[in-house]
Every structure is written in C-alpha cells, then in structure tokens.
C-alpha cells in the first residue's frame, strides 16, 4: 500500500515543479571565446537625436573585442528605481554600467551595489565637474559615480508677452503673480494659463515643493536630520503653492501634472510661465515649435525670505555595478561616457546639458546654443536635494503630505505635523542620523 | 411565462450596454492616434491596426503573454493535481482532524495577499527565485490551492458512495477507486476548478508585480501596468495591449462558460 | 483485510494524499502568515542591512498615524459602498435575467465578461473612460472639465464605480442561479391569488434569495477589504491619498521604501481585520440560517 500513494503524491507535486524548473532554466548561457559584452542600462534620451549609440560605437572601435549592449529603462523614475533595487538586491544583476538619478547615488553606495571609483578617477577629472554634481557622488570620502548630465530648475517665460507689457522677468513670486494677472487681463484669452509647474505626487512634485521652501529660506531638514527647522517659513511656502491654484495663477490640473504635461501647453503657446528643466528649451526651439524664438530663461523667483534662483539641481550619473565581471572595462566605459568628448557630443545631439563647466564656455557649443552661459550661472546657484542614502524614503513618505496641501485636502500646518511624525518613525528605523541635509 | 422575445432582446441590449466599456476599449484599440485626444466623435473616421502593430512588434507584451501562459498553465497544473489528491482525502478518507483541516482551507481562502507578499518576497529572494517563472507558479498555485481543494471536495462528495462501494466489492483498492471511478466522474468539476485557477493566475497582479523585474518573467498584467510611454500615455496602444491581455478570459467566458459557471456556483452555494 | 485494518490503511493513504497540499500550503501560506506577524515586530530594511527588534513600535505609530486612519477610512467606505451597490445591482440583474428564454448563454457571456477580465485591464479601461479630454464619460456628458480621477472628491466614487462594474456579475450570477431553483408553481399560485409584484417579491423571492445574497456579500466584503489591483493601477492611491486603501499603503511602505517591517505591520493589520470580518460574517450567516 505504501509505495503507490507516495508515488502518486510525489508525482502530483514534482511534475509541475520539474516543468517549471526546466522552463526557468531556459536562460542564455555565455559562450566561451565570444567578445566581452558590457551592458549599459540607461533611460531613453530625450531630444532631437540620440547620441548614445554613436558614442558606444566609438568605444567599441577603441576597444576591439568589446561589445557594448545598450538597454533602455522605463520612462518613470520610480519604476527605474524599483527595477534597480530588485535586480541589485538579488545578487548578480545583468548589467555593468548604469545610469542613476543623482538622488540615488548615496543610497546605492550605502547598499554596496556600486563600485568605488576613487582609485580609477584622478582628482583633476573630478574637479572638471560642477561641485554640486560631485557632492552627491562622494560618500564617506570615496567617489561612487561620475556625473553624466546636469539639470537645474529654471523659469521659462514668454519673452514676447512680457515685452509687450513692458515687464522684465519677475524676481519675486508676487511680481510673477501680478504679471500673470495683467497679461491675462490684456490678452483676453481664457485659454491662456499663468504659471505651470509640476505638482503631481511624484519626485518631480517634491522638487517643486523643495524649491518653494528654499525660495522662502526654509530647509527640509536641519544638520541633525530633523524636519522643518524653520516651520513658519515652510508653512508660508506651502501656503503659497496652494495659493497659486486657489487664486487661479496656476490651473488646477498642475496638481496632476509632470514635466511633459506642463511642457506641451507652454510649447503650444498656452501659458505665460513654466518651471521646468533645461531639456525643454531645445524642444521649444525646434523649427515647428509655436513658441520658437519667443521663450526666455530666468532664475526662479524668490518668496519673502529666500534668495533668487534657489533651484534644485538634478541629472544623472553613471555608476558601475559592484558585481560586474569586467570592472576595469566598465569603469573605462563610464569614464569615456562622462569625458569631455562624450559630453560635448551629448550636448550637440540631445537636449542634455553637460556636467562640465568648461563646456558652457566652449565657443562652438555656445554658437549652437546661446543659452549656455545663462544656464551656467543658474547651475552654479542651484543646490542639490538632501544628500542622504534615505532620500528616496524621505521623499516617498513626504510626497503624499505635500500633495494633500496642494490639492487642498490638508492645511500646511497639519501636513507638516503629519509629515514630521512619519519622518520620525522612519528615522527611528534607519539610525544613525543623516548626513549633509538641506 | 413572462414577457416575450421583445423583453429578452431588451435584456440582451441592456447587458450589451453593461459590457460597453469593453467594447469601447476595443474600438479605442483601432482608433487612429489623432482622434484619441481630444475625443470629438464617437465613431472613428477610419480603423487602424497601428496600435496592434506597436504592441506586437515593439512592446514587451508578446513575451509577457508567453510568460503568463506558461505560468498560468503550470500553476493550474500544480493546484489541480495536488488539490485533487488532497480533496479526495478530505472528502472520503477518515483522516484525523479532517474538519479542522477543511476549516483551515476555508480560512486560507480569505488570506489577504498583501499580508503574505512580504514574507514571500523574502523567501523568493533567499531562494534566488526572483524574476523566475517558478516563483509565480508557486505563489499562484499555492494561493489557488485552498479554493481548488474546497471545490473538488464538494464535487467528490456529490458522487454517490454506492459507486465506490461497488468497485470496492469488486476488489479494487482505494487508489484504483480514485483513479478509475472518482476522477473520471469528478473530471468536469476538475475542469471548473482548473478554469478558476487559470483565470486567477492569468489575472494575478500583486505577486507578479513584486516578484518580477524584467521581461524574463513579467506577466501580462504587469506589462500592461508598466506600459511604456515616453512623452504621453499611448492610450491606443494600451487599449490594443488590453485586448490581447483579455483573450484567454474571453475564451473561457465564451467557450467554457458552462464549466466556469459551475465552478463559481459550487464555490458559493456550498456552505 | 479487517475493517479496522482497512480504516487504518485508509487513514494512512489519506495522509499521503494530503501531504503535498499540506507541504505547499504550509510553506507558502501558513508559514508566511506567521512570518509576517514576526516581521511586523522588526525594523527591517534589507537594502541597508537594517534588521533589529522594534517591538510594538510600528503598531504604536500606526495608532496615531493619520495616513493609516485615512487608509482605514478609504478601505471602509470602499468596502461598504461597493458591496451595497453590488448587492442591489446584482439582485436586480438576476431578477431581470430570470425570465430570460432566448439568448441566455449570450446574456451570461456579456455579464461575465466584466468579471473575467484582469483587473489591470479594467483599471486601464476605466482610466481611459474617465480621461478628462479623451474619455467617453465626459464626451457623453458634454463636460470637458470634470477630472474624475484627479479631483479628490470624485476619485473614490469613480473607483468604486469601476469595482462595482467588475464584481457585480459575480453577485448577479449566484442570485440568478438561486432564482432558477425557485419553483414556478409558487409564482403561479401568487398570480392566481392576485398578489402584486412587490408582494410576490417580498414574500416569495426575497426570503429564498436572501441567504445566497448574504453569502455572496460575504465573499465580496472579503474581496473588497483585500482589494489592491484596481486602486493601485487606476489611481495609485491618489490624488493625495483620497483613494489610498490599507493595501496600497502597505504596498508603498513595502516596495517603494522597502520598509519590510513597517509594511508587514500594515499587512498584519489587514490580515487580522479580514479574519475578524470573516468570522463575524460567518456567525451572522449561521444565525440567519437558524432563524430561516
């Protein structure tokens, strides 16, 4: 009696498992003697042309026997992060060089997922990038990633409309609101929106809120990592953002808008001001753009207690996976892609801005893009979001609270109170205290 | 003897309206991009296959369809094969603690996935099963198992004991009775259970989203949820992908309706 | 073989046949259920290698966490509203279907389609229907400005509507099956007696269909409490948490911030809640059955 039921039971259990194992085992196996393949994981490059394939071919030409396979990430930053975490956390990730949002570098370094680049990158190379780009890449005195391209928040404005009414670009938000009122009163166009920005509940929304806080001289965290060290100014800044919507200076839908959803209306001529990143400028200057030649760029205005141009920097860095099988080659690829030649090619081909200040004064590049010197000044004034391995955790915890203020569901006081409670709970888990907050 | 053909037709029309959202999505999948946003007319000026082309040639949906199919079939196989044996034991054999076990099965059907997803995630990670078919086969199969056992136990109990006793008198042992008498009779019930298990696995989202990372194991719901759009959301493409994702469920509802209904009714009417 | 010997052999066979199922369920369902309770008492963030005892800190935090209570509120409203609407609508559809003579298969097919679709498909479908500029809803209403999913006041009702659409067929099917078993003689007798439609319904139909309606409402309640897919994909818990249920909150804590300990605590709360509701419902059903 005993053998047959166990056999039946075992068959019932093992058969599907065996099939599944076979299915799972059908993965590619590397062939001995084949060229070395490096996998480069990056997000799709926005803009007129994609310079990356050309650069990769150049690297392959300089390194015979090496192939570089380019793999695209999804568009959403949150999904990219989830992809990286799931792959890096599990062991051997199938890529060698990866493009990281600058805010993830401390996190990935702390988690031990990326290679220490300090021995491979000389100090001169490090000094060739913007300090605000290098700051997040350096943790514990070691270098973990190289800046690839740089971003800074800025104010786009319709130069033609402002000139028509005799306005200069606003230096305070009060001025901005007033200019919006007067222009809209004069234009009699009900479809002309005032000030567009990104208020959706995602990292971009967080950036907008941080910029408002900084514009009022408030920080998110103090040096010990405690939230809202200047509560009154923070409250004012949050109330200001909500006020933009309530007063109609900004349309209600900005609370669900990201970069692209705000770029398009401005590019169609349906808004006076836009807060966005430099990439939009290239798209506004395309031959078939309705606002071609009519767009100006200025530093972000200030609120009562803060400075002008308190913009967030951003951008992407290149890092090497700690588990790569070809560390030396991968580091070389990263260094090549962030070199002056490569960044020059990227600036020419795509809507990207380099992380090397020298390129902003290069005559050839400036001739193609006269806005570079202005952007250079803006980049110098911007500062990074809080540099801590826990930044993403902070951000995703705070986003709903800020979103509630923007949408009018919570008062700034309540949101700040709830946010503080949530942050304290989070920080209890991740002691010790944070480093270099803003 | 209520109403007549007119009334029946009216009810059918009402139900067609009920299913209208689906038909609208089907229409969206063949509507040209230019007429999607903003919507100005109900019927498109022309039909286009461009969205299906994009989905089939440029998206990850084809691979996701393969993944979903394989995982659903395997997890169904797991749930039904293991479940049939267990159901027979619980329905017919004097297992000690049978009532408690059955009660446990019923309680297990109420387990929320969100509660078990974090331990399972850690487990899959420890076993190195992340981004594999096996992880989802195990997760889906085990989640469907209690329901399958409950259903099949009920179906088996419906079989008259007399048939089994007659076979026993003829000299057949338990396993032979199971194989030659019970299983053939409960086969329709097994089909119903298999359909429900397959449908569950095909539609399952939470585990798939948490345990998969690349197209190696991404299933259809995850691929649909993460459908890439660079500038704006490609509603036409998403509609086309949705239609493709709905093919097996539609097939089951249209072709295997009888078994599906039987399974649903058995699950609820047996209290 | 003696009868007691046969019984012992049967019992052994029973255990062998049960063993695979018990192994599978033990490792993949029971063990995780216990493990999640254990995890909820830890600070556990694998990315940073954080793994320490937290005691009841997570639960103490949840007790005063406004986001948790908001999620509980959303879950409660979603569940009660969905189940009530599904019950009412499902019963109505079942009553309408009962007299169907022609095209029954087609009718059931059209109805079950909504139920069989993957919830992600349903979510994307409704996201498109609710789209302010391209959606059918605004088109039919002639309104361009209504932002169904972006307005905090409208998002939850819109979500509930989508879920009701998806789940009503299940209720309708079960009520319909029960209605079919009611002998037509009862109705003929009522007609002969001159009873009105409402009388017929309340005296004959309702008492007979009520038990099955309660059972399906039980299933639907448990499903609504556990619901994740449709709200995650349709609204992601937004705008501003107005559609963030407990499951979505738990998921965000687990996989967005990888706070496995904290996320497990929320998951454990959902687990206990669902079990309590199931137990309460079963007792209610038992009492209803006894009085019937």
């Amino acid at each position: 009696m005993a053998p047959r039921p166990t056999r039946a039971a075992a068959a019932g259990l093992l058969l599907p498992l065996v099939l599944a194992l076979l299915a799972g085992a059908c993965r590619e196996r590397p062939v001995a003697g084949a060229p070395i393949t490096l996998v480069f994981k990056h997000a799709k490059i926005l803009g007129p042309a994609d310079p990356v394939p050309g650069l990769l071919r150049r690297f392959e030409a300089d390194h015979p026997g090496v192939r570089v396979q380019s793999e695209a990430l999804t568009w959403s930053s949150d999904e990219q992060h989830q992809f990286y975490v799931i792959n890096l956390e599990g062991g051997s990730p199938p890529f060698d060089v990866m493009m990281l949002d600058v805010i993830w570098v401390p996190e990935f370094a702390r988690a031990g997922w990326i290679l220490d680049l300090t021995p491979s990158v000389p100090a001169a190379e490090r000094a060739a990038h913007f300090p605000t780009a290098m700051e997040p890449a350096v943790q514990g005195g070691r270098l973990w990633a190289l800046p690839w391209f740089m971003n800074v928040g800025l104010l786009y404005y319709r130069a033609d409309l402002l000139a028509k009414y005799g306005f200069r670009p606003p230096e305070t938000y009060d001025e901005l609101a007033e200019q919006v009122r007067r222009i809209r009163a004069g234009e009699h166009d009900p479809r002309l929106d005032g000030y567009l920005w990104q208020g959706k509940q995602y990292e971009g929304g967080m950036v907008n809120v941080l910029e408002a806080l900084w514009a009022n001289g408030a920080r998110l965290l103090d040096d010990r990592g405690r939230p809202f060290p200047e509560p009154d100014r923070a409250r004012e800044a949050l109330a200001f953002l909500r006020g933009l919507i309530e007063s109609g200076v900004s349309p209600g839908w900005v609370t669900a808008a990201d970069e692209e959803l705000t770029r398009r209306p401005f590019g169609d001529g349906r808004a006076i001001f836009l807060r966005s990143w430099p990439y939009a400028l290239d798209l506004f200057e395309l031959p078939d753009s309705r606002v071609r030649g009519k767009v100006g760029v200025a530093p972000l205005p200030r609120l009562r207690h803060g400075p002008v141009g308190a913009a967030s920097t951003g951008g992407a860095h290149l890092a090497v996976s700690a588990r790569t099988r070809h560390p030396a080659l991968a580091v070389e690829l990263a260094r090549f892609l962030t070199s002056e030649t490569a960044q020059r090619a990227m600036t020419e081909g795509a809507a990207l801005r380099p992380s090397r200040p020298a390129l902003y004064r290069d005559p050839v590049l400036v001739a193609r893009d006269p806005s570079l010197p202005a952007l250079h000044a803006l980049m110098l004034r911007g500062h990074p979001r809080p540099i801590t391995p826990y930044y993403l955790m902070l951000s995703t915890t705070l986003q709903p609270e800020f979103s509630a203020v923007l949408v009018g569901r919570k008062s700034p006081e309540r949101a700040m109170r709830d946010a503080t409670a949530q942050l304290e709970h989070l920080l209890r888990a991740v002691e010790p205290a944070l480093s270099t907050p803003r | 003897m209520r109403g007549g053909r007119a009334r029946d037709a009216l009810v059918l029309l009402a139900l067609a309206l009920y299913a209208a959202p689906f038909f609208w999505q089907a229409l969206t999948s063949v509507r040209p991009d230019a007429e999607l946003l903003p919507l100005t007319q109900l019927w498109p000026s022309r039909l286009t296959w461009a969205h299906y082309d994009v989905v089939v040639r440029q998206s990850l949906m084809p691979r996701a369809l393969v993944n979903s199919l394989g995982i659903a079939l395997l997890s169904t196989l797991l749930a039904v094969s293991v479940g049939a044996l267990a159901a027979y034991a619980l329905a017919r054999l004097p297992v000690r603690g049978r009532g408690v076990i059955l009660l446990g099965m019923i309680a297990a059907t109420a387990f929320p996935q969100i509660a078990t997803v974090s331990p399972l995630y850690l487990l899959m990670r420890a076993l190195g099963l992340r981004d594999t078919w096996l992880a989802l086969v195990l997760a889906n199969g085990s989640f469907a198992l209690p329901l399958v056992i409950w259903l099949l136990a009920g179906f088996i109990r419906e079989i008259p004991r007399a048939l089994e006793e007659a076979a026993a008198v003829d000299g057949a042992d338990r396993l032979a009775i199971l194989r030659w008498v019970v299983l053939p009779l409960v086969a329709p019930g097994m089909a119903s259970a298999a359909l429900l298990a397959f449908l569950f696995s095909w539609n399952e989202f939470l585990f798939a989203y948490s345990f998969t990372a690349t197209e190696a194991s991404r299933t259809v719901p995850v691929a649909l949820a993460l459908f890439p759009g660079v500038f704006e959301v490609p509603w036409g493409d998403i509609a086309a992908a949705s239609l493709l994702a709905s093919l097996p469920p539609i097939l089951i509802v249209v072709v295997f309706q009888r078994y599906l209904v039987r399974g649903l009714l058995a699950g609820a009417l047996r209290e | 073989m003696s009868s007691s010997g046969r019984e012992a052999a049967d019992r052994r066979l029973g255990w062998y046949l049960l063993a695979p199922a018990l192994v599978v369920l033990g490792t993949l369902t029971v063990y995780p259920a216990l493990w999640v309770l254990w995890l909820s008492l830890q600070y556990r963030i694998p990315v940073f290698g954080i793994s320490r005892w937290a005691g009841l800190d997570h639960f103490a935090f949840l007790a005063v966490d406004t986001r948790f209570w908001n999620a509980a509120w959303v879950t409660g409203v979603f569940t009660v509203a969905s189940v009530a609407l599904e019950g009412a609508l499902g019963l109505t559809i079942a009553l309408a279907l009962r007299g169907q003579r022609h095209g029954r298969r087609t009718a059931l097919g059209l109805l079950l389609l909504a139920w069989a679709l993957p919830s992600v498909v349903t979510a994307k479908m409704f996201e498109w229907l609710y789209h302010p500029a391209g959606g059918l809803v605004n088109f039919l209403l002639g309104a361009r400005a209504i932002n169904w999913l972006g307005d905090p006041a409208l998002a939850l009702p819109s979500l509930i509507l989508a879920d009701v659409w998806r789940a009503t067929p299940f209720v309708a099917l079960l009520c319909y099956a029960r209605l079919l078993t009611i002998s037509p003689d009862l109705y003929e007798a009522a007609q002969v007696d001159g009873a009105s439609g409402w009388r017929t319904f309340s005296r004959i139909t309702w008492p007979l269909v009520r038990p099955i309606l309660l059972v399906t409402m039980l299933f639907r309640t448990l499903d609504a409490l556990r619901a994740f897919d449709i709200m995650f994909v349709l609204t992601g818990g937004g705008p501003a948490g107005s559609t963030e249920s407990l499951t979505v909150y738990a998921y965000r804590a687990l996989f967005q911030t990888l706070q496995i300990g904290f996320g497990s605590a929320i998951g454990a709360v959902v687990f206990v809640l669902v079990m309590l509701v199931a137990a309460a419902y079963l007792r209610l059903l038992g009492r209803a059955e006894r009085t019937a």
Side-chain angles (χ1 to χ4, degrees), chain B residues 217-254:
Chain B
S217 67
R218 279 242 160 99
T219 57
V220 160
V222 180
L224 190 57
L226 294 177
F227 207 82
V230 181
F231 288 116
E232 275 162 347
V233 184
W235 292 109
D237 300 345
I238 289 178
S242 300
L243 264 283
L244 289 177
S246 309
L247 284 177
I250 295 175
L251 195 72
I252 290 177
V253 165
V254 170

Side-chain angles (χ1 to χ4, degrees), chain A residues 4 12 86 89-90 260 264, chain B residues 81 121 125 130 173 231-232:
Chain A
R4 279 165 71 208
I86 290 188
E89 223 230 320
E260 280 301 288
R264 293 206 156 215
Chain B
S81 57
Y121 172 79
R125 191 168 149 262
R130 262 196 323 199
D173 65 1
F231 288 116
E232 275 162 347

Side-chain angles (χ1 to χ4, degrees), chain A residues 286-427:
Chain A
L286 284 177
D288 58 350
S289 160
R290 253 187 261 184
V291 294
R292 186 173 153 88
K294 300 186 194 168
V295 175
V297 158
L300 291 176
R302 64 179 178 86
L303 286 170
R304 200 145 35 112
H305 301 285
V308 174
S312 168
T313 53
H317 283 48
L318 292 185
V320 175
S321 158
R323 302 285 187 100
T324 175
R325 275 175 296 178
H326 315 283
L329 266 176
V331 173
E332 260 192 69
L333 177 61
R335 287 182 66 197
F336 169 69
L337 286 171
T338 56
S339 67
E340 189 168 316
T341 7
Q343 290 206 6
R344 181 189 298 269
M346 279 176 43
T347 314
E348 284 173 351
L352 292 175
R353 298 302 181 284
S355 61
R356 292 167 171 270
L359 290 175
Y360 287 80
R361 297 184 287 265
D362 181 285
V364 176
L365 292 177
V366 174
R368 285 179 92 251
D369 183 2
S371 69
L372 279 179
L375 283 175
H376 180 228
L378 289 173
M379 301 253 181
L380 287 176
R381 274 208 260 197
H383 45 95
R385 285 159 271 177
I387 300 174
T388 153
Y390 314 115
Y391 174 72
L392 211 63
M393 292 176 76
L394 282 175
S395 179
T396 48
T397 306
L398 291 173
Q399 281 168 26
E401 302 302 325
F402 291 145
S403 177
V405 174
L406 295 181
V407 161
R409 251 186 132 218
K410 273 192 193 179
S411 70
E413 295 83 11
R414 240 193 91 206
M416 284 166 59
R417 205 168 48 228
D418 293 341
T420 306
Q422 298 230 341
L423 276 185
E424 281 170 358
H425 176 250
L426 184 76
L427 295 175

Side-chain angles (χ1 to χ4, degrees), chain B residues 172-248:
Chain B
D173 65 1
R174 275 294 188 184
L175 272 182
I177 294 176
L178 172 62
R179 180 138 185 266
W180 297 111
V181 177
V182 176
L183 280 185
L185 285 174
V186 87
M190 283 175 69
S192 297
L195 282 175
L196 285 177
F198 183 87
L199 213 52
F200 167 74
S201 180
W202 184 269
N203 296 350
E204 203 284 321
F205 178 68
L206 178 52
F207 287 152
Y209 193 62
S210 317
F211 301 157
T212 65
T214 69
E215 64 268 14
S217 67
R218 279 242 160 99
T219 57
V220 160
V222 180
L224 190 57
L226 294 177
F227 207 82
V230 181
F231 288 116
E232 275 162 347
V233 184
W235 292 109
D237 300 345
I238 289 178
S242 300
L243 264 283
L244 289 177
S246 309
L247 284 177

Side-chain angles (χ1 to χ4, degrees), chain A residues 43-121:
Chain A
K44 203 161 180 310
I45 304 291
L46 283 175
D50 189 354
V52 173
L55 289 170
L56 296 181
R57 300 294 88 76
R58 232 203 288 188
F59 184 81
E60 286 174 351
D62 291 339
H63 295 82
V66 176
R67 263 191 63 234
V68 184
Q69 192 178 313
S70 156
E71 275 179 20
L73 288 165
T74 52
W75 166 242
S76 147
S77 174
D78 291 330
E79 283 162 27
Q80 292 170 11
H81 183 259
Q82 182 156 357
F83 168 81
Y84 276 135
V85 167
I86 290 188
N87 275 286
L88 291 165
E89 223 230 320
S92 34
F95 41 81
D96 304 286
V97 178
M98 43 191 173
M99 172 187 129
L100 301 181
D101 193 327
V102 59
I103 51 176
W104 305 334
V105 177
E107 176 190 350
F108 285 31
R110 168 71 72 92
W113 294 336
I114 50 184
L115 220 53
D116 182 354
L117 301 176
T118 326
S120 326
V121 179

